[in-house]
Amino acid sequence: MKLGYKIIIALLVAGAFFYLKSVRDHKLERFEQKVKKLITDIRHRDYFAFQQELLPELTKRVSIESIQRFMEPLKIKRDVKVELASVKEQNSTSSVAGYIYSQTLKLPYNMVFKEYNRSRLLLLSISIGNSTLQKDEEEFPIIQKR
């Protein structure tokens, strides 16, 4: 094989490698930015902004009081850093796990996101430390008598 062909093949392999790496890095950065935004909402106790990050089906089933109960035990300071440990994707859902840490704090987190309208990541479930966001109790069933 001629030297020119070898160079072209090496450049194509290197180009493919760097392209795949940049796609993976972009995806990880997207999840990291989303996690940081949610942590900021928790830190500021911004219940309404946090609720807007939930799937529309969950927005109806998770009240502001539930979000408040979820955020209450979390004492997250301004100097926290977010570390992604793993990202597992399956169909349109992605499970993100990692740690929130500072000098005095290290909390594990687990968040499940769902791709919404192929452009936006919305929260399906979240757990930070011992605090887990719960849906409200089922509504009182209305039974019709005949």
Side-chain angles (χ1 to χ4, degrees):
M1 187 182 281
K2 292 186 179 183
L3 181 61
Y5 291 130
K6 290 180 182 179
I7 292 172
I8 290 173
I9 290 172
L11 288 174
L12 287 174
V13 168
F17 171 76
F18 287 116
Y19 173 75
L20 292 174
K21 185 179 180 325
S22 71
V23 167
R24 192 181 119 254
D25 290 346
H26 174 70
K27 195 176 287 188
L28 290 177
E29 182 180 329
R30 184 177 179 209
F31 286 117
E32 187 174 0
Q33 293 300 321
K34 190 61 141 178
V35 170
K36 284 181 180 178
K37 190 224 180 290
L38 290 170
I39 299 302
T40 302
D41 290 344
I42 292 170
R43 197 180 77 222
H44 291 150
R45 301 290 193 243
D46 194 348
Y47 310 121
F48 296 103
F50 189 87
Q51 190 179 36
Q52 294 302 313
E53 296 299 322
L54 297 173
L55 278 172
E57 302 87 46
L58 288 178
T59 304
K60 298 172 187 164
R61 300 197 63 206
V62 177
S63 67
I64 297 297
E65 291 80 18
S66 297
I67 295 172
Q68 186 177 9
R69 281 191 302 271
F70 164 71
M71 290 183 185
E72 190 174 311
L74 299 173
K75 307 294 185 220
I76 298 175
K77 303 291 183 201
R78 185 181 185 105
D79 65 340
V80 297
K81 295 186 181 4
V82 175
E83 175 185 316
L84 290 178
S86 69
V87 176
K88 296 177 185 168
E89 295 184 63
Q90 185 176 13
N91 296 333
S92 63
T93 61
S94 302
S95 177
V96 179
Y99 294 95
I100 301 167
Y101 64 94
S102 67
Q103 292 180 353
T104 60
L105 176 76
K106 185 172 184 181
L107 292 173
Y109 69 84
N110 191 1
M111 300 180 191
V112 179
F113 295 101
K114 185 169 183 171
E115 191 83 26
Y116 188 72
N117 288 341
R118 297 185 182 197
S119 63
R120 196 166 170 211
L121 287 174
L122 292 179
L123 194 60
L124 192 58
S125 71
I126 184 170
S127 172
I128 299 176
N130 294 331
S131 187
T132 303
L133 183 62
Q134 302 289 329
K135 296 177 190 169
D136 289 332
E137 295 297 322
E138 294 296 322
E139 294 180 13
F140 182 75
I142 298 174
I143 302 172
Q144 294 180 355
K145 293 184 181 179
R146 294 183 182 192

